[in-house]
């Protein structure tokens, strides 16, 4: 008897009509090296490199905003896809560092890139945001609600890093990545995506102040409540477990194994996390995209920037299977299998 796909598999499979038709990214010019961080907090290049793999990261110029970086990445993606702003139906922007609480950063990008026919909104899923946004776009395109969607992952983490906290300030950087998704009948594209969250772990990685639960007041302004707080060791463990589990699920949905993958594009938080995930999936490191040594963890932008770099450097050929896998605050995680 022919084995029947599980109901879960059936709902996840017929998605190859949503293609990534262009990618783009933007990194600010200013490089902040480990040597410079040695002068700011009690740390050293050897500790940062051996514990994280990070050698340098980019920092936005004074006055350079999240929407500026996002618009630059979007323009590069539009050029790669060969489309202009008028062809974009929807902009979904993932960030935890919006220019403002209101308006959405997606609306500000709309104006900057001249996509005036688009509807726009932001989403918040920390470092998982880009893949969450890809899945949302995928759903809108599959239901034929929209045809062409700009997805952006962007963060200006330098604006919420506590530069006196060595536990976190060595990890993060600024940047933006973007992709254009479009309906393409019988094309290559997104095969399967899995998203997950665990709000019980919300406190592991958080910005406690600045929102409605804890506004910044004259009394608490010196406590850096508007900065990232993180339980690094616990975050590490959950990151590896959840990335591996969601990657296995999505590979199963797609009927693939690690051996079928030409390229894995993981969240760029820590080389030890990336290595552990690759090892457990049975994928050699030379098939894994790593650029965290140059850019650090750029949160929602990280996997988008890595995807663009993999695209532009020819790491993926048409027809190749690619796994994208992320995790972040929330906690949140997601995996997608794409046929390039
Ligand atoms: N320089 C020197 N020493 C340091 C530094 C530093 N920058 N930071 C911490 N240390 C010290 C600690 O104080 C500790 O000292 P102690 O043993 O005397 O207490 C020691 O180094 C070891 O600290 P650990 O936290 O156990 O170090 P670990 O090996 O776990 O590495 C790290 C820390 C790099 C943060 C790791 O746990 C990690 O990468 N965790 C995952 C973090 C992550 O991926 N976060 C991003 C989530 S994405 C998002 O949504 C934004």
């Amino acid at each position: 008897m022919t084995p029947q796909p599980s109901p879960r598999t059936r709902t996840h499979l017929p998605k190859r009509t949503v293609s990534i038709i262009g990618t783009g990214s933007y990194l600010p010019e200013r490089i902040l090296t480990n040597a410079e961080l040695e002068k700011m907090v009690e740390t050293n290049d050897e500790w940062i490199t051996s514990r994280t793999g990070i050698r340098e990261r980019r920092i936005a110029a004074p006055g350079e905003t999240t929407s500026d970086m996002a618009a630059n990445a979007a323009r590069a993606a539009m050029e790669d896809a060969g489309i202009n702003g008028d062809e974009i139906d929807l902009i979904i922007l993932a960030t935890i560092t919006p220019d403002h609480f209101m308006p959405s950063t997606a609306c500000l990008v709309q104006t900057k890139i001249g996509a005036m026919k688009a509807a726009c909104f932001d989403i918040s899923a920390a470092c998982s945001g880009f893949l969450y946004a890809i899945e949302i776009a995928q759903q809108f395109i599959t239901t034929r609600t929209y045809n062409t969607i700009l997805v952006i992952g962007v963060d200006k983490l330098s604006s919420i890093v506590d530069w006196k906290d060595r536990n976190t300030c060595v990890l993060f950087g600024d940047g933006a990545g973007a992709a254009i998704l479009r309906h393409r009948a019988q094309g290559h594209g997104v095969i399967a995506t899995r998203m997950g969250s665990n709000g019980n772990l919300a406190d592991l990685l958080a910005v406690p102040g600045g929102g409605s639960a804890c506004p910044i007041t004259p009394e608490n302004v010196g406590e850096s409540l508007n900065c990232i707080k993180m339980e690094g060791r616990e975050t590490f463990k959950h990151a590896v477990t959840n990335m591996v589990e969601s990657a296995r699920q999505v590979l199963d949905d797609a009927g693939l194994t690690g051996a079928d993958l030409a390229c894995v594009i993981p969240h760029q938080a820590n080389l030890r996390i990336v290595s552990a995930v690759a090892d457990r999936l049975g994928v050699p490191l030379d098939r894994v995209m790593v650029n965290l040594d140059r850019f650090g963890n750029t949160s929602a932008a990280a996997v988008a920037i890595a995807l663009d770099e993999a695209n532009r450097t020819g790491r993926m050929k048409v027809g190749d299977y690619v796994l994208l896998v992320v995790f972040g605050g929330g906690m949140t995680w997601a995996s997608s299998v794409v046929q390039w």
Side-chain angles (χ1 to χ4, degrees):
M1 200 174 100
T2 315
Q4 293 300 304
S6 68
R8 182 77 184 160
T9 306
R10 229 178 272 129
T11 57
H12 272 241
L13 270 182
K15 288 186 177 175
R16 288 175 205 233
T17 54
V18 179
S19 292
I20 296 173
I21 63 163
T23 64
S25 60
Y26 170 79
L27 280 312
E29 274 176 34
R30 160 93 167 98
I31 295 172
L32 178 65
T33 63
N34 290 350
E36 287 174 88
L37 282 165
E38 287 179 8
K39 297 180 192 133
M40 296 160 64
V41 287
E42 198 181 326
T43 190
N44 56 75
D45 176 53
E46 201 282 321
W47 191 97
I48 303 171
T49 310
S50 63
R51 297 290 181 119
T52 71
I54 300 167
R55 296 182 182 280
E56 57 190 42
R57 66 288 292 144
R58 301 298 179 94
I59 302 294
E64 188 171 35
T65 62
T66 296
S67 63
D68 291 335
M69 294 194 294
N72 285 335
R75 286 187 200 100
M78 288 156 62
E79 193 182 333
D80 189 40
I83 66 162
N84 61 48
D86 276 350
E87 295 175 67
I88 297 171
D89 302 313
L90 179 67
I91 301 174
I92 310 173
L93 185 145
T95 192
I96 53 166
T97 48
D99 285 12
H100 313 283
F101 283 143
M102 185 178 70
S104 74
T105 303
C107 282
L108 303 179
V109 171
Q110 173 186 35
T111 301
K112 289 180 184 183
I113 64 171
M116 300 318 295
K117 292 181 182 157
C120 305
F121 61 87
D122 291 357
I123 65 158
S124 171
C127 302
S128 307
F130 184 72
L131 280 199
Y132 269 57
I134 290 271
E135 175 64 356
I136 297 167
Q138 207 280 135
Q139 298 292 339
F140 273 122
I141 295 171
T142 302
T143 56
R144 301 297 183 95
T145 310
Y146 295 114
N147 189 46
T148 305
I149 301 183
L150 167 62
V151 170
I152 304 171
V154 56
D155 266 306
K156 184 180 164 182
L157 291 180
S158 62
S159 66
I160 56 165
V161 160
D162 180 352
W163 292 104
K164 296 192 198 76
D165 177 13
R166 71 175 182 172
N167 291 297
T168 52
C169 76
V170 302
L171 303 174
F172 300 114
D174 300 335
I180 310 280
L181 276 73
R182 178 174 267 183
H183 175 78
R184 197 160 59 176
Q186 294 165 349
H188 303 292
V190 182
I191 297 174
T193 299
R194 290 268 187 155
M195 305 188 297
S197 313
N198 184 353
N200 290 336
L201 303 175
D203 289 343
L204 288 187
L205 191 53
V207 177
S212 59
C214 178
I216 302 302
T217 63
E219 289 72 37
N220 68 23
V221 73
E223 296 172 31
S224 304
L225 295 173
N226 59 325
C227 294
I228 299 177
K229 314 280 180 215
M230 184 180 69
E231 300 280 344
R233 217 173 288 180
E234 278 302 301
T235 304
F236 190 111
K237 280 191 270 181
H238 290 289
V240 174
T241 308
N242 290 314
M243 287 170 89
V244 170
E245 196 173 317
S246 78
R248 283 187 179 143
Q249 285 172 343
V250 88
L251 285 170
D252 194 42
D253 290 344
L256 302 173
T257 69
D260 298 309
L261 299 170
C263 188
V264 175
I265 304 180
H267 181 43
Q268 306 287 315
N270 184 317
L271 188 56
R272 290 187 294 138
I273 295 177
V274 171
S275 303
V277 171
D279 186 51
R280 290 184 198 188
L281 294 177
V283 179
L285 259 188
D286 62 3
R287 277 195 264 143
V288 180
M289 182 69 210
V290 175
N291 62 15
L292 60 85
D293 51 325
R294 287 169 285 138
F295 306 135
N297 178 353
T298 54
S299 188
V303 78
I305 294 169
L307 175 67
D308 183 48
E309 187 171 336
N311 181 22
R312 285 171 196 269
T313 54
R315 287 189 66 141
M316 305 170 299
K317 297 188 298 297
V318 172
D320 278 351
Y321 292 111
V322 180
L323 170 73
L324 298 110
V325 51
V326 294
F327 79 97
M331 287 193 86
T332 55
W333 55 88
S335 293
S336 281
V337 173
V338 175
Q339 189 173 26
W340 200 249

